[in-house]
Amino acid sequence: MKTYLKTLIRTFKKHITRFLSIIFMVLVSVGFISGIGSSTDKINFSLSDHYALKNVSDFIIKCTNEDGFSDGQIAKVKDMYGATNVNAGMSFDVDVKINGNSRLTRLYFVDFNDWTVNMPEITAGDAPADKTEIYSEAADNMIVGVETGTEVVLDFADILKQLAAENGTEIDGVMESMLGRLKTVTLKVSGVIQSPLTFAKDGEPSYKNPEDTKVPDNITDANKLITLKNILYVSKDVIPTYKDIMSFLSPNPLINSGDLYVALPNRKTFNAFDKRYDKYIETEKQNILTALGGLETDAEGQALSVEASEENDNYRFITLKDNYSFCSLHSYGQKVKGIGVVLMVAFIFVTALVVLSTMTRLLEEERGQIACLKTLGYSAPKIIFKYILFAMLGTGIGGAGAYFVGLGLAYLVCGAFSFSFAMPPISSHVALGFFLITFFVIVAVTLFSTLVAGLHMTREKPANLLRPKPPKAGKKVFLERIPLIWNALSFKYKSTMRNVLRYKSRFFMTVISVGVSMALVLAGLGLLDLCLFGGLDSPTVMAIALVVVAFAGLLTMVVIYTLTNINISERNKELATLQVLGYHNKEIAGYIYREIYIDTAAGIVLGYPLSLLIMWLVFSVMAVGSIGGVTWFWWLIAPVIVLFFTFLVTLVLRRKIIGINMNESLKANE
């Protein structure tokens, strides 16, 4: 047992660099994917938690008939859900004078003394002291909107004329006279609030959009909507004839003659993005229509479906899924999640490939140790367990670190959303989906490859394992068949090309890994181009693009470092021989550097066609942008980024290359 522990410790000491490489590979890949992927879940849970805290309405019910909601109807709905979960009011979009200028504005008429649904947060000023003071909503984080102290003039006669014109209602002389009796009211903004319903900084869609307007799947099409950035909350008491307004014109020109804001009390048990929530609100919609008398019943008194009722045209239901800010943020989040899914495959592939190579080559170098353990009577499972433990500890430590990297990245991505949205506090809910998928796939590949290589090695006899593995037979490389090129090369470049192409598996593994990394860099640059020059004015996507480029570059660095470090370890004797022959440190380092840059160059070439696939998938997920639309110079910048990270690797490896101990290396049994 003591001998076994000594060999175990020796393995960790001898291969500490590979052990660290496994840790960093897992750290970069799993950390990036879990961070990008879990950010959407973080946003979804943050919205759900915030909506529960602010008692956000699941339904905004608009009554479109002439009479509006009766006191009896409001009382019935309050009896169903509790008085604190139901508020009444009305709202419409009209042009009003703000500081003397006419602006398209949404007016909410609410009861300030009984405001319990959609609770806002005061961001500036104070609550209104009387009915002549009002709230303004800073939909654009105080950049746009109505500030405190602003004077607002409400000319109700003009307001009703605007609404009548929208509905095609003609104003006759009698109506003109009646409207003339309405007083013009001058109000002052005392406080600025942030509503939990409207937090998108690009404005709120106006009621002037068609009723069936939905949030576009293509986020750039949101710019085509009629939006407003002036939203005012006025006390219902400011209108002495609040109910009388409804009878001035027939048919009623108002978009609605009353609103009900209903927060379902059991909503807290559901995530707003859960399918159970959708079923829940459909059931409650029918219950509300029944209570309002807007849903017919059958002979047994059972409510018919909403579709089967002929009276539900009097009521329009707006749910959270119809809320522009809610849907817009969720849409952005889903696109980020889609990007995470696309990139997850690439990151897993590269990481699994490199870690697999690391463990199989480590076992090749441990042939002598395995032979000794077999001679001492250790069973194959016990011998293999030592290397499985090595792999498990490396991936485990990397995975533990990756969780915190992913968590930090998720907060960073959520923070990036604050450029476009007034974000709610980030939820502390743990989102492990992407982390577990990525981590377990990498662990499974690593352990499987270690087990297979270990079983293959332990089946051999100790005598065979103790013998040096025969060197790979030299063959002509394809360049030698092209005399025009081959004869023009100097000896050192001929030697380099033979070494590069001699070990084809090593060459192709490096080239493929660098190629995928190059494709990931280009995908990030493609997203960046979309934001800068492609018409997608989204700081959020731009931040994500920069993160993708940074982590793809780090992946390139870790991949090249790991595979080159393995290459150096396998060729210690060869490099020591060059030292004995009198080669200078610069020449020996160049011997390895040339191979690194040739492999990287080949990977860059492969990266271009791979990038076409990844960029196509990313643009498809985003539902905006195209490969042909990417500006030409990004295709030249991408290889520069890859070469830069490669250069950093050569700086780090220089000390290892020139620091080889000649005596130990030349005495070592290959």
Side-chain angles (χ1 to χ4, degrees):
M1 186 64 181
K2 188 179 291 186
T3 302
Y4 183 81
L5 290 174
K6 284 182 178 179
T7 60
L8 180 61
I9 294 171
R10 177 189 174 281
T11 298
F12 276 87
K13 284 184 176 180
K14 180 181 178 181
H15 302 288
I16 186 64
T17 305
R18 295 190 185 184
F19 184 69
L20 294 175
S21 295
I22 292 175
I23 292 175
F24 283 111
M25 280 294 298
V26 176
L27 191 70
V28 171
S29 296
V30 180
F32 172 78
I33 295 303
S34 63
I36 294 293
S38 65
S39 59
T40 299
D41 294 329
K42 280 280 186 186
I43 290 170
N44 291 349
F45 282 109
S46 298
L47 279 177
S48 293
D49 293 347
H50 187 60
Y51 279 10
L53 178 66
K54 297 297 183 180
N55 204 30
V56 170
S57 58
D58 297 273
F59 294 122
I60 297 177
I61 310 170
K62 289 185 171 292
C63 181
T64 57
N65 63 29
E66 297 178 12
D67 299 325
F69 290 108
S70 67
D71 291 339
Q73 288 177 315
I74 295 173
K76 284 183 179 180
V77 178
K78 285 187 175 182
D79 287 341
M80 291 172 62
Y81 301 111
T84 58
N85 292 320
V86 180
N87 285 173
M90 74 173 181
S91 62
F92 43 78
D93 294 352
V94 290
D95 290 319
V96 300
K97 287 187 177 180
I98 300 176
N99 275 346
N101 298 315
S102 181
R103 301 187 196 174
L104 179 61
T105 305
R106 176 165 300 166
L107 297 176
Y108 282 102
F109 294 92
V110 298
D111 186 349
F112 289 151
N113 297 320
D114 190 28
W115 198 349
T116 57
V117 180
N118 301 324
M119 293 299 296
E121 179 180 349
I122 299 179
T123 58
D126 302 305
D130 55 53
K131 65 181 182 180
T132 64
E133 294 185 345
I134 60 176
Y135 282 119
S136 165
E137 182 178 337
D140 203 2
N141 204 21
M142 293 299 291
I143 297 174
V144 180
V146 186
E147 299 180 355
T148 57
T150 301
E151 186 180 86
V152 179
V153 177
L154 298 185
D155 183 342
F156 287 106
D158 181 62
I159 289 172
L160 286 173
K161 287 178 182 179
Q162 291 183 53
L163 297 173
E166 287 180 15
N167 288 339
T169 303
E170 294 184 4
I171 305 294
D172 58 23
V174 176
M175 293 180 180
E176 184 79 37
S177 175
M178 294 175 64
L179 290 175
R181 300 174 192 172
L182 293 177
K183 296 180 179 179
T184 297
V185 180
T186 300
L187 307 171
K188 185 178 73 173
V189 176
S190 64
V192 178
I193 62 173
Q194 179 62 59
S195 168
L197 282 180
T198 52
F199 49 84
K201 292 183 180 179
D202 55 353
E204 181 71 7
S206 171
Y207 291 146
K208 295 179 182 294
N209 288 296
E211 285 191 9
D212 59 351
T213 299
K214 299 291 184 181
V215 178
D217 291 333
N218 187 331
I219 51 183
T220 58
D221 286 345
N223 296 327
K224 299 177 182 178
L225 297 175
I226 301 173
T227 59
L228 51 86
K229 295 188 177 182
N230 302 297
I231 301 175
L232 300 176
Y233 292 80
V234 183
S235 171
K236 288 194 294 187
D237 296 334
V238 81
I239 310 174
T241 56
Y242 170 68
K243 292 182 179 179
D244 294 337
I245 292 178
M246 309 308 171
S247 62
F248 280 152
L249 303 175
S250 181
N252 198 315
L254 296 175
I255 292 177
N256 62 287
S257 58
D259 294 347
L260 278 184
Y261 304 92
V262 181
L264 302 177
N266 294 330
R267 206 280 307 285
K268 297 178 182 179
T269 62
F270 298 105
N271 184 306
F273 302 92
D274 195 317
K275 290 182 179 179
R276 295 178 301 164
Y277 174 71
D278 295 337
K279 294 180 180 179
Y280 176 53
I281 62 173
E282 283 302 316
T283 300
E284 295 305 319
K285 182 188 292 186
Q286 295 194 20
N287 293 337
I288 292 173
L289 281 171
T290 302
L292 294 175
L295 193 66
E296 295 181 342
T297 57
D298 58 20
E300 299 178 358
Q302 298 295 319
L304 297 173
S305 66
V306 176
E307 292 77 8
S309 174
E310 297 178 355
E311 303 295 332
N312 59 28
D313 285 343
N314 289 330
Y315 307 103
R316 178 187 172 198
F317 282 75
I318 301 175
T319 69
L320 285 180
K321 300 301 175 70
D322 301 312
N323 177 276
Y324 173 75
S325 295
F326 181 94
C327 293
S328 182
L329 179 56
H330 180 58
S331 176
Y332 266 95
Q334 289 301 111
K335 293 180 189 307
V336 171
K337 191 172 187 177
I339 293 173
V341 171
V342 172
L343 300 184
M344 177 175 67
V345 177
F347 270 82
I348 288 178
F349 175 76
V350 173
T351 304
L353 190 67
V354 175
V355 173
L356 183 151
S357 176
T358 298
M359 291 308 302
T360 53
R361 292 184 185 183
L362 182 148
L363 282 161
E364 284 291 337
E365 291 184 22
E366 290 281 298
R367 291 169 61 89
Q369 286 294 315
I370 294 173
C372 292
L373 290 173
K374 288 194 69 174
T375 303
L376 292 172
Y378 287 97
S379 63
K382 199 164 188 178
I383 295 172
I384 296 172
F385 176 76
K386 182 176 76 166
Y387 301 102
I388 288 180
L389 181 62
F390 183 95
M392 287 179 64
L393 283 175
T395 53
I397 294 172
Y403 171 77
F404 293 101
V405 170
L407 186 63
L409 185 57
Y411 276 95
L412 177 65
V413 172
C414 291
F417 273 82
S418 63
F419 288 107
S420 303
F421 301 91
M423 290 293 292
I426 304 302
S427 172
S428 60
H429 183 89
V430 179
L432 293 176
F434 275 79
F435 171 79
L436 293 176
I437 292 172
T438 310
F439 179 65
F440 281 128
V441 169
I442 292 174
V443 168
V445 171
T446 303
L447 296 184
F448 178 76
S449 61
T450 304
L451 179 62
V452 171
L455 289 172
H456 174 73
M457 203 73 68
T458 53
R459 287 196 186 106
E460 293 193 40
K461 295 180 180 180
N464 292 335
L465 292 172
L466 287 170
R467 294 192 187 99
K469 194 172 182 180
K472 189 174 181 66
K475 293 181 180 179
K476 281 188 176 183
V477 298
F478 74 92
L479 286 178
E480 293 184 58
R481 305 180 190 280
I482 311 175
L484 183 64
I485 298 176
W486 187 254
N487 294 335
L489 297 176
S490 63
F491 171 77
K492 64 181 181 181
Y493 282 102
K494 288 179 179 178
S495 176
T496 298
M497 293 308 302
R498 281 174 175 155
N499 283 328
V500 167
L501 300 174
R502 181 182 179 188
Y503 300 97
K504 291 183 176 60
S505 61
R506 178 193 299 163
F507 170 74
F508 285 117
M509 186 171 293
T510 305
V511 169
I512 292 172
S513 300
V514 174
V516 175
S517 299
M518 164 75 173
L520 291 170
V521 170
L522 261 172
L525 293 177
L527 286 174
L528 187 61
D529 178 80
L530 188 62
C531 297
L532 295 176
F533 311 112
L536 181 61
D537 184 16
S538 173
T540 304
V541 176
M542 185 182 298
I544 292 169
L546 294 173
V547 169
V548 171
V549 173
F551 272 81
L554 286 174
L555 181 67
T556 304
M557 188 173 179
V558 176
V559 164
I560 294 175
Y561 176 84
T562 302
L563 296 177
T564 305
N565 184 63
I566 294 172
N567 185 17
I568 294 170
S569 298
E570 293 177 344
R571 296 167 63 186
N572 273 353
K573 190 170 183 178
E574 180 182 344
L575 297 175
T577 302
L578 294 176
Q579 288 180 328
V580 173
L581 292 174
Y583 280 73
H584 297 294
N585 289 340
K586 184 178 179 180
E587 293 174 312
I588 296 173
Y591 189 71
I592 297 296
Y593 289 172
R594 284 191 295 273
E595 296 181 18
I596 294 175
Y597 283 109
I598 289 173
D599 288 346
T600 302
I604 288 173
V605 173
L606 177 64
Y608 279 112
L610 288 177
S611 67
L612 298 178
L613 173 61
I614 294 180
M615 290 173 71
W616 176 76
L617 290 172
V618 169
F619 288 144
S620 297
V621 168
M622 292 291 294
V624 62
S626 65
I627 296 173
V630 177
T631 310
W632 63 270
F633 56 77
W634 296 116
W635 300 91
L636 302 180
I637 292 176
V640 174
I641 294 174
V642 173
L643 288 171
F644 171 74
F645 281 99
T646 303
F647 172 72
L648 294 180
V649 172
T650 60
L651 293 181
V652 174
L653 286 174
R654 177 177 173 80
R655 184 175 179 181
K656 182 178 180 65
I657 296 170
I658 65 177
I660 293 174
N661 188 302
M662 288 187 291
N663 293 329
E664 289 184 4
S665 298
L666 292 172
K667 289 178 181 177
N669 187 352
E670 291 186 346

